[in-house]
Amino acid sequence: MSSTLPGTERPAAGLATLLEAVSAQRMQSTVRELADDRYTGRRVGTPGGLAAATWLAERLGELGAATDLSGFDVANVRELYATPVLEWSTGGQAQRLEHRRDFVEHLASADLPHPNSAPLAHHSDADLRDRWVLAEAGNWAQACERAEAHGAAGVLTVRGADAEGWMPKMIAGPPTRQVPVIALHTEVHAHLAEALADGPVQVTGSMPLRQITTRGHNVHARFPHPAQGDASRVRVLLSAHYDGVGDDPDRRLPAAADNASGVAAVLEAARVLAAAPPPGALELMVAFLDAEEAGAWGSAHHAPTLPPDTLVINLDGAAHLHQAAAVEAGGPAHALLATLDQAARLTGVPLRAGAMASDNRRYAAAGLAAIGIGMGMPGYQTPAETPNRVQADTLPAAARLLVATVWHLAPSAASAP
């Protein structure tokens, strides 16, 4: 989709007043709050994550919503419980590598709590026993199979970095292998391959990575509406995940863009709509979801509990609009998508069709009309994802788009002054 000629239509007077009430400053404050040290990256199952959920529930309660925390179990979350080590040496020269700059945990890795030193071998070598195996790009799984069959020390594979040289963190991935697996920066992998071609290489590495089962908490809020018995009322859910991937043992990952920015925009939209509800019978709900980074467990837990006519708008990332907001529609969302497009024209937010692999897909899979929106995540899942990277003009663009969409979904909005 593409929203053409944005801003060529004028919002009705009532909607224009709501759009003017959106506060960029308030949203920036929310982003800074959620990115603060005391929330420790907001990983599911951590005290910091639960503290963030509690803070958000309190803010929604202050807006007049009935709120609750809904708990659920989350399995197979990867937890890096100590800083991993990786170094290599040749000809008596040792090089210590930096975690998340030069190498990163591979989510299929077996737990290796203490450094293991062994010679390096190419994955095609005949003798792999008690050796670190250097895999080529794209064949880490095959290298693991050979390493497991021959009793290797572990596998070194390759992974790229972002434009700033960081290797992003993730906490959900493929099944665990029987050997440690470490992902090297592309340049480090190339240097190791060159060194191995010239002579023996010794590698020392650890990967203290385990899988845990933990507890997630969704924040649900329902705002009062005057037409409780009106069968024509429209139910709208605004959602955003508040969890992040969590801090490293010795490094902060503030998770400001993903997804403190989306949470801030949803919270601000709820504030504006609660203060001046749209005309007509509209039921507004908000969900701040946990465990999206671990596999969208929060929305999977929530979606089956909703009435089948609920319209869902999920915002994942509101930090850098750039050229257009990415939009993905799922379920019976044709009418919802048309309303979003109308709101985009009124608010001047360009839209484009784009993959949004977030909580919206869980709601769509449950048969609900669901739209996912994304407006950029600079510094995505790295230490560089700080509040100052969240652009002040993107936050109000996201909140106004949500407000205008909800306003037009209200049954009587079209005739309102």
Side-chain angles (χ1 to χ4, degrees), residues 146-235:
R146 290 207 68 217
E148 291 164 348
H150 293 272
V155 172
L156 304 179
T157 184
V158 61
R159 180 178 299 165
D162 68 10
E164 298 172 346
W166 291 105
M167 303 179 76
K169 180 177 183 177
M170 293 174 283
I171 59 173
T176 301
R177 304 297 310 212
Q178 300 174 27
V179 293
V181 187
I182 300 176
L184 307 177
H185 189 288
T186 306
E187 293 180 0
V188 173
H189 185 274
H191 292 328
L192 267 179
E194 293 172 1
L196 183 60
D198 291 338
V201 177
Q202 190 78 4
V203 171
T204 300
S206 70
M207 187 46 63
L209 183 71
R210 61 193 173 199
Q211 291 193 36
I212 63 169
T213 295
T214 188
R215 192 80 173 156
H217 295 86
N218 286 340
V219 182
H220 301 151
R222 188 183 302 271
F223 288 87
H225 59 91
Q228 292 286 345
D230 192 337
S232 67
R233 71 180 181 274
V234 174
R235 294 185 179 91

Side-chain angles (χ1 to χ4, degrees), residues 252-274:
R252 287 246 46 225
L253 282 85
D258 182 22
N259 185 34
S261 64
V263 168
V266 168
L267 183 61
E268 180 65 6
R271 183 191 70 82
V272 170
L273 291 165

Side-chain angles (χ1 to χ4, degrees), residues 248-340:
D248 283 344
D250 63 350
R251 203 190 297 268
R252 287 246 46 225
L253 282 85
D258 182 22
N259 185 34
S261 64
V263 168
V266 168
L267 183 61
E268 180 65 6
R271 183 191 70 82
V272 170
L273 291 165
L282 184 136
E283 180 178 346
L284 178 64
M285 297 174 287
V286 170
F288 290 134
L289 302 163
D290 202 356
E292 192 272 348
E293 303 294 356
W297 288 72
S299 48
H301 173 74
H302 186 219
T305 70
L306 294 172
D309 59 350
T310 303
L311 307 177
V312 182
I313 306 173
N314 184 72
L315 182 60
D316 197 349
H320 186 182
L321 180 57
H322 193 47
Q323 295 179 341
V327 175
E328 177 181 303
H334 180 77
L336 177 59
L337 188 62
T339 304
L340 178 72

